[in-house]
Amino acid sequence: MNKVLTISASPHSFGVDSTQKIMYGVVLALLPALAASIYYFGIGALIVTAAAVISSVGFEYLIQKYVMKVKPSISDGSAMVTGLLLAFNLPTNIPIGLVILGSLISIGVGKLSFGGIGQNPFNPALVGRVFLLISYPVQMTSWPKPIIGRMNYLDAETGATPLAVVKEGLKNGESFSSIDIPAYLDLFFGYLGGCAGEISAFAILIGGIYMLWKKIITWHIPLTVLGSMVFFSGLLYLINPEGFADPIFHLITGGAMLGAFFMATDMVSSPMSVKGQIIFAIGIGFLTIVIRVFGAYPEGVSFAILIMNAFVPLLNTYFKPKRFGEVKKNG
Amino acid sequence: MLKTFPKGGVHPPENKLSAQAAIEVFPIPPQVVIPIAQHIGAPSTILVKRGDMVKTGQIIAKTSGFVSANIHSSVSGKVSKIEDVVDSSGYKRPCVIIDTEGDEWEEGISRDASLNSSIALEPKEIIERVLEKGIVGMGGATFPSHIKLNVPSGKKAEYLIINGVECEPYLTSDHRVMLEQPEQLMVGIQIIMKALGVSKAIIGIENNKPDAIETLNKLAPSYPGVSVEALKVQYPQGGEKQLIKATINREVPSGGLPIDVGAVVHNVGTAIAIYEAVQKNKPLIERVVTVTGKSLAKPSNFLVRIGTPISSLIEAAGGLPEDTGKVINGGPMMGKALSNLDVPVTKGTSGVLIIREEEASRKEIAPCIRCARCTHVCPMGLEPYLLMTVSKNSIWEKAEKNDIMDCIECGSCSYECPANRPLLDYIRLGKSKVSQIIRSRRQS
Amino acid sequence: MWLPILYFVAQKFKVYEDPRIDEVDEVLPGANCGGCGYPGCRGFAEACVKSEDLGNLYCPVGGNDCMSSVAKVLGRTAVEKEPDVAVLLCNGACSLRPNTNKYDGAGSCTIAHNLYGGETGCQYGCLGLGDCVRVCDFDALHMDTETGLPVVDEEKCTACGACVKECPRNLFELRPKGKKGRRIYVACSNKDKGSAKKIGCDVACIGCRKCEKECAFDAITIENFNAYIDPQKCKLCRKCAPVCPTNAIHEINFPPRKVKVEKEPALAETSSTTSVQSEGATEVVARKPRVKPESTDAPKPDPSSENNPS
């Protein structure tokens, strides 16, 4: 019995999950949304997505290898997720150059400048998107109209998103019911202008349910984000149904679904305790509605998430999980 | 719906390979090595010297403090040596080594297997007997049992909870004991109830042992006050605090003891050992040990004399498989890896688990992705990721402030971590440092 | 209009601080290592200013020079102290101390130490996971990849004592640097019986007492089967090292023993100079060059050939 035995402290048994599995699980969950995007936006969706994924992974590899001089970690799949999410947050007729620039900002500034995976305080894809949105507002806000089987890329005919239409209309004193927007069922399945991956609430729901089933995410953040959006927009709608859009409209348009299921749930930049996550999610819902209704932009999910990302360290410090057998302090 | 503890926990593959293997009496080994530190607390004081002849059941080391236990010879024969031997702690510690000669038992010990259900002793006498016979907690923690039977003044015990959970994967010794000695278990419970002065006892058993639940449910009506509670399978339900929460829905306060919420928890093995000590005058000199592993030819449950080398148990279960990577004293979640197979079986050895080479090594450590799974699975509501970080950076005040001492070291966090981070390793380090700091603060 | 209020508040909450604290702080090395026993250099400066004499205060990093400048600032006299250096009391390199198992846990000595006796047969020796290297603020400790032991860089070591505190097995000792950096010590901390030690490690002190008998100055004491050389009593006569049957006594910075003509200690050629050389390390163990008529000085016994009663 002269075997060299391995020694380590308990536990000696481990779960089967790994960072890779989680990341590729997210990629898998994003595929329905990608399919919807290609269905409605055609070749442009494919080009933008491919460019974002390839450049994100490429930048991660190059920066880690030659700038940071560490072992590249592209195999964990996190750069791929960032690339996909970035692409999903861009219009499908955006020039490739901007996509690559966005990837560089996402990966280089949003992620690696903080030390790489696990260290970034902000969702890297959103950092890239907001950078582009502020720097190239024209390209970033010309939305191609959904046309099934479209084959043209840059010169796609564009139009405003329903959110922008409603915002403009309400600002001009029209009543909500008189504004011409597509049927809700069309909006739910994705027949509307918008960013590549955000249009189909239906496809995102499929992905979200998959992630919930695989326990990649928990229900707390997505449901609370959507719930609080419904609550705050509902409040406004009840006060004045003609002056404000109804909650369902808020849910199925813009980036609400994509943000709630894929962006706000980003593990790295969301709080650790359930209490913290709930507050984080309520904040996102609230800020989204505030920006959509009162802000300068028609859409506010990205900003809301980034703002709440900044509160995460605070939430982690002040909202601890409930300790077992917590002894109430005197007083 | 089945009861369980509400927060955290994991469900590792159960792998109860030896669940159907009846307990076999293991032959008396030619030599036993009996460590004098087999329990939590002060090591016992050795009473014998080299060359002494001892009988089976004779006391060879006596309790040396409040938290300590007597140790008895598990064989009859001659004390050949008293020296430091590597035991399951991984360090050399004093042991009494006895060469076996025959099997002559100490007088007064009844070896009659018949059930004796009339409890003649008074509570005080029961506690004395438990102390005298060296009974310690047999679930693995090896806390001297007589202390748990003594209800401190000002406190009142309401419930006796018997731990038949066996939430550790692979292990089946408690399961087999419940199946094969249910009546002794019941009488043992009655004895403990008498000593504590409680009228209610609950046997908590996880639902993956339906045969044990059925057997005990059949017996329960004839033992007043005893009931069986089937629990949902969830690790670490066998943890005292989790079991109390699951069965009677009370939370032991942080830093407190079960008695603070009126509960006393004993393991099924301990209950049977108490039965034997009180009714048969038999000291704790043997116990049931599960020998198991995926590659092992014959996963078994053995009734083994204390001090038998673990290597001989493995031999009897089909020999050490070729692809062995790790041998564990205990279960896969909380057991201790052995560096040396000549380590003896002690009062706390509930199992010997052989892990294959491919499962033995840890995977490469990746950066924390802050997925919060460790926080979700922690049954104590702690934040393992934070505790590991502060321990790694030696920020002990913050570790203490974040309740590191509440950690029960169940290993759920390390089990669950997708980045393979050694969370519990560092938390244990932090605990040992923080407890040092607390101790020195108390002294000053 | 805010200015008067700010001024008032500033005056009200002004904390008086002895200006000499700043002056003392100025001459301190500023490493904030805590080697003096105070929280950082500032704390030490405060203690210096407060204390009547500088008797118990010593900055190991700055040494005597620094202390005399401190004394000058305060107008007191500093106590001269012989500079110390950290030495590792273990010489069980990988090749001399075979592994009996494989540690697979977190890479921290303290964690491994709390878990079990270690990868080798010696439960007192170096675990080789480098906790000491991590706590060294002065870059004076490095792991030697070949021996698996940490190496002290004598030039950089300031004797701050961080490694002494950190090592879970207490394998570091601060010893006087000695004249010309010369010093002799027993590089072993094993407290087992001699026979048990030999199984675990080839270069363990087996407590044979030969050195104790050889020492004319009563500098060597044996406790727990382990010899200790008192640096205060040791006269560096070098008589103990040759009699050690296991090479456990280290002589550092001495010229090689078989001196014939060399002026410089020709280190590379002394084939018996073992282990503790690595790049940048100035510490060199001039091992007793065995004058080898094998009979006089019994080579280390092969553990397997011994009848070890265990």
Side-chain angles (χ1 to χ4, degrees), chain B residues 122-134:
Chain B
E122 287 307 305
K124 264 236 153 60
E125 295 168 316
I126 293 173
I127 295 168
E128 261 163 39
R129 181 70 67 81
V130 167
L131 166 67
E132 184 194 324
K133 296 301 172 191

Side-chain angles (χ1 to χ4, degrees), chain B residues 348-375:
Chain B
T349 309
S350 47
V352 175
L353 167 63
I354 291 158
I355 291 188
R356 292 182 296 182
E357 210 141 24
E358 68 250 37
E359 294 171 66
S361 298
R362 295 197 184 168
K363 284 176 241 150
E364 201 189 337
I365 299 169
C368 171
I369 54 168
R370 309 178 70 75
C371 63
R373 290 190 185 187
C374 52
T375 314

